[in-house]
PDB file of all heavy atoms in Angstrom:
ATOM      1  N   TRP A1017       7.208  -9.641  24.329  1.00 67.00           N
ATOM      2  CA  TRP A1017       8.135  -9.816  23.232  1.00 67.00           C
ATOM      3  C   TRP A1017       9.190 -10.843  23.574  1.00 67.00           C
ATOM      4  O   TRP A1017       9.675 -10.915  24.716  1.00 67.00           O
ATOM      5  CB  TRP A1017       8.823  -8.494  22.901  1.00 67.00           C
ATOM      6  CG  TRP A1017       9.801  -8.627  21.786  1.00 67.00           C
ATOM      7  CD1 TRP A1017       9.541  -8.538  20.449  1.00 67.00           C
ATOM      8  CD2 TRP A1017      11.177  -8.925  21.923  1.00 67.00           C
ATOM      9  NE1 TRP A1017      10.695  -8.739  19.733  1.00 67.00           N
ATOM     10  CE2 TRP A1017      11.726  -8.973  20.584  1.00 67.00           C
ATOM     11  CE3 TRP A1017      12.049  -9.140  22.988  1.00 67.00           C
ATOM     12  CZ2 TRP A1017      13.060  -9.255  20.353  1.00 67.00           C
ATOM     13  CZ3 TRP A1017      13.377  -9.403  22.757  1.00 67.00           C
ATOM     14  CH2 TRP A1017      13.884  -9.461  21.439  1.00 67.00           C
ATOM     15  N   HIS A1018       9.523 -11.674  22.605  1.00 70.00           N
ATOM     16  CA  HIS A1018      10.616 -12.620  22.768  1.00 70.00           C
ATOM     17  C   HIS A1018      11.148 -12.998  21.388  1.00 70.00           C
ATOM     18  O   HIS A1018      10.414 -13.060  20.416  1.00 70.00           O
ATOM     19  CB  HIS A1018      10.170 -13.874  23.533  1.00 70.00           C
ATOM     20  CG  HIS A1018       9.091 -14.657  22.824  1.00 70.00           C
ATOM     21  ND1 HIS A1018       7.758 -14.272  22.834  1.00 70.00           N
ATOM     22  CD2 HIS A1018       9.161 -15.791  22.062  1.00 70.00           C
ATOM     23  CE1 HIS A1018       7.057 -15.128  22.115  1.00 70.00           C
ATOM     24  NE2 HIS A1018       7.870 -16.056  21.642  1.00 70.00           N
ATOM     25  N   LEU A1019      12.431 -13.272  21.339  1.00 74.00           N
ATOM     26  CA  LEU A1019      13.072 -13.659  20.106  1.00 74.00           C
ATOM     27  C   LEU A1019      12.700 -15.091  19.772  1.00 74.00           C
ATOM     28  O   LEU A1019      12.792 -15.969  20.624  1.00 74.00           O
ATOM     29  CB  LEU A1019      14.591 -13.508  20.217  1.00 74.00           C
ATOM     30  CG  LEU A1019      15.398 -13.690  18.930  1.00 74.00           C
ATOM     31  CD1 LEU A1019      15.073 -12.560  17.952  1.00 74.00           C
ATOM     32  CD2 LEU A1019      16.909 -13.694  19.247  1.00 74.00           C
ATOM     33  N   SER A1020      12.252 -15.339  18.546  1.00 74.00           N
ATOM     34  CA  SER A1020      11.816 -16.679  18.197  1.00 74.00           C
ATOM     35  C   SER A1020      11.978 -16.897  16.701  1.00 74.00           C
ATOM     36  O   SER A1020      12.284 -15.972  15.947  1.00 74.00           O
ATOM     37  CB  SER A1020      10.341 -16.891  18.579  1.00 74.00           C
ATOM     38  OG  SER A1020       9.502 -15.977  17.870  1.00 74.00           O
ATOM     39  N   PRO A1022       9.973 -19.340  13.467  1.00 76.00           N
ATOM     40  CA  PRO A1022       8.790 -20.202  13.238  1.00 76.00           C
ATOM     41  C   PRO A1022       9.106 -21.691  13.343  1.00 76.00           C
ATOM     42  O   PRO A1022      10.159 -22.166  12.943  1.00 76.00           O
ATOM     43  CB  PRO A1022       8.372 -19.829  11.814  1.00 76.00           C
ATOM     44  CG  PRO A1022       8.946 -18.458  11.597  1.00 76.00           C
ATOM     45  CD  PRO A1022      10.231 -18.427  12.374  1.00 76.00           C
ATOM     46  N   LEU A1034      -1.761 -17.773   4.370  1.00 79.00           N
ATOM     47  CA  LEU A1034      -1.415 -16.357   4.204  1.00 79.00           C
ATOM     48  C   LEU A1034      -0.723 -16.033   2.895  1.00 79.00           C
ATOM     49  O   LEU A1034      -1.142 -15.117   2.169  1.00 79.00           O
ATOM     50  CB  LEU A1034      -0.491 -15.908   5.356  1.00 79.00           C
ATOM     51  CG  LEU A1034      -1.074 -16.001   6.772  1.00 79.00           C
ATOM     52  CD1 LEU A1034      -0.005 -15.619   7.790  1.00 79.00           C
ATOM     53  CD2 LEU A1034      -2.267 -15.067   6.902  1.00 79.00           C
ATOM     54  N   ALA A1077      12.991  -7.331   4.398  1.00 89.00           N
ATOM     55  CA  ALA A1077      12.333  -6.766   5.586  1.00 89.00           C
ATOM     56  C   ALA A1077      11.582  -7.852   6.342  1.00 89.00           C
ATOM     57  O   ALA A1077      11.647  -7.920   7.593  1.00 89.00           O
ATOM     58  CB  ALA A1077      11.382  -5.630   5.156  1.00 89.00           C
ATOM     59  N   ASN A1078      10.855  -8.699   5.621  1.00 87.00           N
ATOM     60  CA  ASN A1078      10.112  -9.768   6.296  1.00 87.00           C
ATOM     61  C   ASN A1078      11.014 -10.806   6.942  1.00 87.00           C
ATOM     62  O   ASN A1078      10.782 -11.250   8.060  1.00 87.00           O
ATOM     63  CB  ASN A1078       9.175 -10.438   5.291  1.00 87.00           C
ATOM     64  CG  ASN A1078       7.921  -9.614   5.032  1.00 87.00           C
ATOM     65  OD1 ASN A1078       7.015  -9.545   5.833  1.00 87.00           O
ATOM     66  ND2 ASN A1078       7.897  -8.971   3.881  1.00 87.00           N
ATOM     67  N   LEU A1079      12.090 -11.192   6.234  1.00 86.00           N
ATOM     68  CA  LEU A1079      13.008 -12.169   6.791  1.00 86.00           C
ATOM     69  C   LEU A1079      13.695 -11.648   8.049  1.00 86.00           C
ATOM     70  O   LEU A1079      13.888 -12.387   9.026  1.00 86.00           O
ATOM     71  CB  LEU A1079      14.062 -12.554   5.746  1.00 86.00           C
ATOM     72  CG  LEU A1079      13.581 -13.472   4.618  1.00 86.00           C
ATOM     73  CD1 LEU A1079      14.695 -13.628   3.583  1.00 86.00           C
ATOM     74  CD2 LEU A1079      13.166 -14.838   5.171  1.00 86.00           C
ATOM     75  N   LEU A1080      14.089 -10.399   8.023  1.00 87.00           N
ATOM     76  CA  LEU A1080      14.844  -9.826   9.161  1.00 87.00           C
ATOM     77  C   LEU A1080      13.951  -9.535  10.349  1.00 87.00           C
ATOM     78  O   LEU A1080      14.386  -9.629  11.493  1.00 87.00           O
ATOM     79  CB  LEU A1080      15.572  -8.548   8.713  1.00 87.00           C
ATOM     80  CG  LEU A1080      16.696  -8.723   7.680  1.00 87.00           C
ATOM     81  CD1 LEU A1080      17.250  -7.380   7.225  1.00 87.00           C
ATOM     82  CD2 LEU A1080      17.816  -9.604   8.253  1.00 87.00           C
ATOM     83  N   MET A1081      12.676  -9.168  10.080  1.00 84.00           N
ATOM     84  CA  MET A1081      11.791  -8.810  11.187  1.00 84.00           C
ATOM     85  C   MET A1081      11.057  -9.996  11.789  1.00 84.00           C
ATOM     86  O   MET A1081      10.543  -9.914  12.894  1.00 84.00           O
ATOM     87  CB  MET A1081      10.790  -7.781  10.701  1.00 84.00           C
ATOM     88  CG  MET A1081      11.378  -6.423  10.347  1.00 84.00           C
ATOM     89  SD  MET A1081      12.362  -5.686  11.684  1.00 84.00           S
ATOM     90  CE  MET A1081      11.111  -5.486  12.950  1.00 84.00           C
ATOM     91  N   ALA A1082      10.950 -11.104  11.042  1.00 80.00           N
ATOM     92  CA  ALA A1082      10.192 -12.276  11.531  1.00 80.00           C
ATOM     93  C   ALA A1082      10.702 -12.773  12.887  1.00 80.00           C
ATOM     94  O   ALA A1082       9.877 -13.033  13.790  1.00 80.00           O
ATOM     95  CB  ALA A1082      10.218 -13.382  10.499  1.00 80.00           C
ATOM     96  N   PRO A1083      12.008 -12.905  13.109  1.00 80.00           N
ATOM     97  CA  PRO A1083      12.452 -13.392  14.418  1.00 80.00           C
ATOM     98  C   PRO A1083      12.127 -12.461  15.566  1.00 80.00           C
ATOM     99  O   PRO A1083      12.132 -12.851  16.731  1.00 80.00           O
ATOM    100  CB  PRO A1083      13.980 -13.501  14.259  1.00 80.00           C
ATOM    101  CG  PRO A1083      14.200 -13.609  12.790  1.00 80.00           C
ATOM    102  CD  PRO A1083      13.127 -12.753  12.180  1.00 80.00           C
ATOM    103  N   PHE A1084      11.850 -11.183  15.283  1.00 79.00           N
ATOM    104  CA  PHE A1084      11.514 -10.216  16.316  1.00 79.00           C
ATOM    105  C   PHE A1084      10.030 -10.046  16.509  1.00 79.00           C
ATOM    106  O   PHE A1084       9.579  -9.123  17.180  1.00 79.00           O
ATOM    107  CB  PHE A1084      12.157  -8.866  15.980  1.00 79.00           C
ATOM    108  CG  PHE A1084      13.660  -8.887  15.895  1.00 79.00           C
ATOM    109  CD1 PHE A1084      14.286  -9.054  14.686  1.00 79.00           C
ATOM    110  CD2 PHE A1084      14.435  -8.789  17.047  1.00 79.00           C
ATOM    111  CE1 PHE A1084      15.669  -9.105  14.605  1.00 79.00           C
ATOM    112  CE2 PHE A1084      15.817  -8.806  16.981  1.00 79.00           C
ATOM    113  CZ  PHE A1084      16.443  -8.981  15.742  1.00 79.00           C
ATOM    114  N   GLY A1085       9.250 -10.928  15.866  1.00 75.00           N
ATOM    115  CA  GLY A1085       7.804 -10.861  16.026  1.00 75.00           C
ATOM    116  C   GLY A1085       7.104  -9.891  15.102  1.00 75.00           C
ATOM    117  O   GLY A1085       5.933  -9.616  15.278  1.00 75.00           O
ATOM    118  N   GLY A1086       7.811  -9.389  14.094  1.00 76.00           N
ATOM    119  CA  GLY A1086       7.204  -8.443  13.171  1.00 76.00           C
ATOM    120  C   GLY A1086       6.177  -9.114  12.263  1.00 76.00           C
ATOM    121  O   GLY A1086       6.371 -10.250  11.839  1.00 76.00           O
ATOM    122  N   GLY A1087       5.086  -8.415  12.016  1.00 77.00           N
ATOM    123  CA  GLY A1087       4.073  -8.933  11.119  1.00 77.00           C
ATOM    124  C   GLY A1087       4.506  -8.794   9.679  1.00 77.00           C
ATOM    125  O   GLY A1087       5.473  -8.111   9.359  1.00 77.00           O
ATOM    126  N   ALA A1088       3.778  -9.488   8.806  1.00 79.00           N
ATOM    127  CA  ALA A1088       4.084  -9.389   7.380  1.00 79.00           C
ATOM    128  C   ALA A1088       3.966  -7.951   6.907  1.00 79.00           C
ATOM    129  O   ALA A1088       3.016  -7.234   7.283  1.00 79.00           O
ATOM    130  CB  ALA A1088       3.127 -10.281   6.590  1.00 79.00           C
ATOM    131  N   MET A1089       4.947  -7.502   6.111  1.00 82.00           N
ATOM    132  CA  MET A1089       4.950  -6.115   5.681  1.00 82.00           C
ATOM    133  C   MET A1089       5.376  -6.024   4.235  1.00 82.00           C
ATOM    134  O   MET A1089       6.047  -6.938   3.700  1.00 82.00           O
ATOM    135  CB  MET A1089       5.875  -5.285   6.548  1.00 82.00           C
ATOM    136  CG  MET A1089       7.326  -5.740   6.549  1.00 82.00           C
ATOM    137  SD  MET A1089       8.329  -4.892   7.786  1.00 82.00           S
ATOM    138  CE  MET A1089       7.702  -5.658   9.297  1.00 82.00           C
TER     139      MET A1089
END
Side-chain angles (χ1 to χ4, degrees):
W1017 180 87
H1018 62 282
L1019 189 65
S1020 62
L1034 298 175
N1078 282 285
L1079 286 174
L1080 294 175
M1081 294 305 298
F1084 298 95
M1089 60 189 72

